[in-house]
Amino acid sequence: MNSHWQGEIMRRARQVRSTWRQEGPHWVADRVRTTLADRIRPKIAVSPVRPADVVAADLHHPPRVFVPPLREGEPVALNWVMSPPSRGSGGHTTLFRLIHHLEANGYRNRVYFYDPYRGDHRYYEEIVHDAYGFAGLVAPVEGGMADAHGVVATTWSTAYPVFNARSAGKRFYLVQDFEPMFHATSSDSILAENTYRMPFHAITAGRWLAERLRGDYGMEADHFDFSCDTARYRRIGDRARSGIAFYARPNATRRGFELGLMALELFARRRPDITIHLYGDTIGRLPFPFVDHGLVTPDALNTIYNQCFAGLSLSLTNVSLVPLEMLAAGCIPVMNDALHNRMVLGNPHIRYAPPSPHELAAELEAVVAVPDFASLSRQAAASVEGLTWSDAGAKVDAIIRRSLAASQGASPSPG
């Protein structure tokens, strides 16, 4: 063995000993697994969009799309192009809430999966039927779509097959978040941003996204307001509360997982008497005590919220459904202070703090220390009582019908 390899082995041994002493055996084991995973990971990963679909999409020469006239008494036909769902997906939950409302108001909906990962179609079709209660057509988009009055892209990757499709229908784009920010600066972030330059009519979750798409990209955009399922998320009397909650999803980086854990570590040092509840994913070891709920049902989550004074809810891009659901249960959300959060939510009972661990921990402490918390909790729950997903669905219905009416009688043109 030459001196170079001997020196390298000694260097690695010193590194392992030092890390073992400072961080412990678990950290070393995690580092080894991460290194091995990086070694065997393919150099070219499967992208959320097929390269062939991107190459086919010439944004300077959009295909001419026929928009069928909407005749009086005829049901509105919509094709929804989406990624295959998992059970409990927040984005898909919102999609199907809107779809169900439209169906109840004279729409005929079809679902088409766009899946570059080539999952088992039958498995995901069963999830759509069983978990989301959709009884209509579910088919792969690769087989082509039936003509419709409208075709709706639902994520940036699905915008490409919608752009390229030759089926009839006004092109809509249901935008629930600013997806270029889901990726580090990369090809995927650029490809996601390019979809906002497609000639679609955007329907966004909240006003912030609509204003950004109009202002930055000149996109036609309208919005619906976030709502809350107050039949499921509700306050259960003046029961004693003893905890705080955190939506912990390491893979959902836009929800500030690492930042949240640092804030909770500080909070746990200052208030060891308060139980910390983590839900969303099974986390494992952390440097402070907590209850690891993992993935929970909505009913179980409502029970958790009703045990808690506050919930840490971080949204680094568009907001999630979590803050309004916490409020409905009388649990006070503590959020990172940002224009998009304030603009979309507009609720006086949400507490905002600068996105630093110390500031967030301090705001959690302030909520726990409120003298008459029961009164604050009742006011918070009452502030969302009037919100319904029927209002959001009615707004989407009006946007679609208005847009289709404006297209009636037009000769084939870009959607």
Side-chain angles (χ1 to χ4, degrees):
M1 183 180 297
N2 60 39
S3 58
H4 168 76
W5 287 110
Q6 288 178 332
E8 184 67 13
I9 291 172
M10 294 298 294
R11 180 179 74 85
R12 294 292 185 184
R14 290 193 299 271
Q15 182 182 12
V16 169
R17 284 197 299 270
S18 175
T19 303
W20 191 288
R21 287 195 299 270
Q22 296 179 43
E23 305 289 348
H26 296 303
W27 193 96
V28 174
D30 289 345
R31 180 67 180 271
V32 169
R33 285 196 295 268
T34 299
T35 301
L36 290 174
D38 288 340
R39 293 287 182 91
I40 66 175
R41 182 180 294 118
K43 300 301 180 186
I44 301 177
V46 178
S47 172
V49 64
R50 292 191 183 95
D53 294 324
V54 177
V55 172
D58 184 352
L59 302 189
H60 291 290
H61 300 92
R64 296 173 67 82
V65 177
F66 177 64
V67 181
L70 182 57
R71 297 178 176 86
E72 187 175 353
E74 179 185 18
V76 180
L78 289 184
N79 295 338
W80 297 78
V81 183
M82 64 181 67
S83 60
S86 59
R87 295 178 187 274
S89 163
H92 286 90
T93 296
T94 297
L95 280 179
F96 283 104
R97 280 174 173 156
L98 297 175
I99 288 172
H100 287 310
H101 179 91
L102 296 175
E103 281 191 331
N105 286 273
Y107 283 66
R108 184 173 69 250
N109 296 285
R110 311 180 189 102
V111 168
Y112 292 92
F113 286 157
Y114 180 68
D115 184 14
Y117 304 103
R118 302 193 181 281
D120 177 29
H121 172 80
R122 183 176 298 179
Y123 169 78
Y124 291 110
E125 182 178 0
E126 289 174 356
I127 289 179
V128 167
H129 293 324
D130 297 342
Y132 296 98
F134 179 71
L137 172 74
V138 182
V141 74
E142 293 83 6
M145 289 185 286
D147 289 339
H149 295 104
V151 183
V152 189
T154 57
T155 60
W156 77 261
S157 58
T158 66
Y160 285 94
V162 169
F163 181 92
N164 294 328
R166 295 299 183 263
S167 54
K170 173 79 178 177
R171 272 29 179 182
F172 293 96
Y173 192 171
L174 189 75
V175 181
Q176 297 194 57
D177 213 332
F178 191 74
E179 293 185 297
M181 295 179 69
F182 289 13
H183 309 278
T185 301
S186 61
S187 296
D188 282 346
S189 67
I190 295 298
L191 294 176
E193 187 177 21
N194 284 346
T195 64
Y196 302 143
R197 300 182 174 93
M198 294 177 176
F200 298 167
H201 188 146
I203 304 172
T204 72
R207 183 162 62 94
W208 173 70
L209 283 169
E211 291 191 3
R212 181 156 193 180
L213 296 185
R214 285 194 298 264
D216 292 355
Y217 304 96
M219 198 174 198
E220 187 177 11
D222 292 290
H223 77 277
F224 63 91
D225 292 321
F226 276 76
S227 193
C228 180
D229 183 359
T230 53
R232 175 158 278 166
Y233 296 97
R234 64 198 184 282
R235 189 170 180 273
I236 309 174
D238 287 333
R239 59 174 54 186
R241 297 181 183 240
S242 59
I244 60 170
F246 178 49
Y247 176 58
R249 286 290 302 279
N251 293 329
T253 55
R254 64 192 182 280
R255 302 304 175 207
F257 173 72
E258 293 83 4
L259 176 61
L261 290 189
M262 288 183 275
L264 292 177
E265 184 174 359
L266 291 170
F267 177 85
R269 293 177 192 169
R270 299 167 187 171
R271 292 301 304 264
D273 56 313
I274 302 297
T275 303
I276 296 174
H277 298 267
L278 268 56
Y279 69 93
D281 201 353
T282 302
I283 302 304
R285 301 176 303 274
L286 288 177
F288 55 86
F290 67 101
V291 180
D292 196 352
H293 293 278
L295 184 62
V296 295
T297 65
D299 290 338
L301 183 54
N302 186 63
T303 299
I304 293 170
Y305 288 158
N306 273 273
Q307 298 175 41
C308 294
F309 295 100
L312 184 59
S313 177
L314 304 179
S315 289
L316 310 183
T317 56
N318 203 28
V319 298
S320 70
L321 304 177
V322 167
L324 296 179
E325 293 168 351
M326 288 179 172
L327 286 170
C331 174
I332 305 302
V334 172
M335 300 192 68
N336 54 301
D337 198 354
L339 173 64
H340 57 268
N341 290 334
R342 289 182 180 269
M343 181 185 293
V344 171
L345 293 170
N347 186 292
H349 297 286
I350 295 173
R351 302 291 187 95
Y352 293 99
S356 77
H358 285 273
E359 300 278 7
L360 292 167
E363 197 60 44
L364 289 170
E365 287 183 87
V367 175
V368 170
V370 169
D372 185 7
F373 182 82
S375 176
L376 174 63
S377 176
R378 286 192 294 270
Q379 293 172 36
S383 72
V384 297
E385 281 180 358
L387 299 181
T388 69
W389 280 105
S390 292
D391 292 339
K395 183 69 177 291
V396 172
D397 180 13
I399 293 168
I400 291 172
R401 290 183 184 274
R402 185 174 65 247
S403 182
L404 290 177
S407 302
Q408 280 192 29
S411 58
S413 60

